[in-house]
Amino acid sequence: MTKKSKLEFAIEEIQSRGIETAIEDLAASYSIDLEARMDTRKKEMKMDNKEHYLVYRVLGVSADEGDAIDLYQNEGRFLYKYAGSFMEDAAHLCFVNKYGVKNARKVKIPNTIGRRPKQYEIDCLVNKDAHEIKWRDATTDGDHILKENTRIKVVKNAGYIPIRVMFFRPNRKQSQKIQDTLETLYHGIGGKYYAGDDAWQYIHDYTDVNLKEILEKIALKNERKNIDGSQTR
């Protein structure tokens, strides 16, 4: 029997418990997995070879500081990965809540332009609207533009409208320039591009779900739990 994904469990919850509870339970599931993954990595790192700390020390960084930096770097990589996956699933739930699981779905289409990858996945297809969902894209890699240009052409050639939904804009100028270029590419091919406040509003208008408000409620609830927990210890 195939194990159900977090998204599949959350979709089942929508009808019985509602969209807000489904998203909150999805967040809790991701949080538990993230904490477990970080704990495992911390244990692994205690056994790591640390000969490279010599270079840290040469550059004026102490061994303790090197430990902290390596740990935060690993934790940050996991956090970014889980944050992206969670936001993609949470947005997907909003579409499913409005249009149903049969009409809001992930779809793989063949790459009709190049050899790699063989397929592209549409994060959520609703009618002809092919949504690419990003929580935040801070890349500074120029190749990213070429790859994304190829992807949206494949989506367009398949008869769909490429739509990019990115909830948080990058802070660095080079990353911002790449996003500006991507926006131009989307509009140039007849697609749509939403970022920052426009992305949240798009989800709200398209699905009737105020995703940002739901996430803010969950965040506040978690913060209260943390405060209460620290006070009782």
Side-chain angles (χ1 to χ4, degrees), residues 3-163:
K3 184 179 179 181
K4 291 182 180 179
S5 67
K6 295 181 182 64
L7 178 60
E8 288 171 328
F9 273 115
I11 287 174
E12 291 179 353
E13 276 197 307
I14 289 177
Q15 289 187 336
S16 61
R17 305 186 67 191
I19 183 65
E20 289 196 29
T21 300
I23 292 176
E24 184 172 2
D25 288 349
L26 178 71
S29 179
Y30 268 101
S31 177
I32 291 170
D33 281 1
L34 175 60
E35 184 176 6
R37 191 68 186 88
M38 287 183 171
D39 286 345
T40 298
R41 180 49 56 91
K42 288 177 184 178
K43 293 176 182 176
E44 292 172 348
M45 291 182 69
K46 289 180 179 179
M47 306 299 294
D48 284 351
N49 184 308
K50 299 182 179 180
E51 291 180 354
H52 64 287
Y53 281 22
L54 170 62
V55 181
Y56 290 175
R57 289 162 45 218
V58 169
L59 295 176
V61 177
S62 70
D64 287 343
E65 288 175 315
D67 259 338
I69 292 170
D70 281 4
L71 176 60
Y72 290 145
Q73 183 183 39
N74 277 266
E75 289 186 330
R77 192 162 62 246
F78 290 134
L79 177 58
Y80 271 48
K81 177 183 177 181
Y82 278 72
S85 296
F86 165 72
M87 283 304 301
E88 181 182 328
D89 283 355
H92 193 107
L93 287 178
C94 296
F95 290 113
V96 170
N97 183 68
K98 174 73 173 182
Y99 300 98
V101 68
K102 292 183 179 179
N103 298 316
R105 64 196 192 281
K106 293 180 182 292
V107 175
K108 290 184 178 180
I109 57 176
N111 183 350
T112 54
I113 295 178
R115 293 183 177 180
R116 294 184 180 180
K118 291 183 178 181
Q119 293 179 319
Y120 285 103
E121 183 172 72
I122 297 171
D123 291 333
C124 189
L125 180 66
V126 182
N127 297 318
K128 294 294 183 179
D129 293 339
H131 297 96
E132 172 78 359
I133 302 168
K134 296 287 185 183
W135 85 289
R136 185 170 181 263
D137 187 352
T139 184
T140 57
D141 183 4
D143 288 343
H144 184 62
I145 295 174
L146 180 60
K147 293 175 182 177
E148 186 67 4
N149 187 35
T150 301
R151 191 191 68 80
I152 62 176
K153 284 182 178 178
V154 170
V155 171
K156 180 71 173 180
N157 291 343
Y160 304 128
I161 301 171
I163 302 173

Side-chain angles (χ1 to χ4, degrees), residues 23 87 94 167-168 196-201 203-204 209-219:
I23 292 176
M87 283 304 301
C94 296
F167 294 101
F168 300 97
D197 291 341
D198 291 339
W200 296 107
Q201 191 61 50
I203 294 295
H204 194 178
V209 177
N210 192 334
L211 179 58
K212 189 173 186 180
E213 183 178 90
I214 292 173
L215 298 187
E216 286 174 341
K217 287 180 181 178
I218 296 171

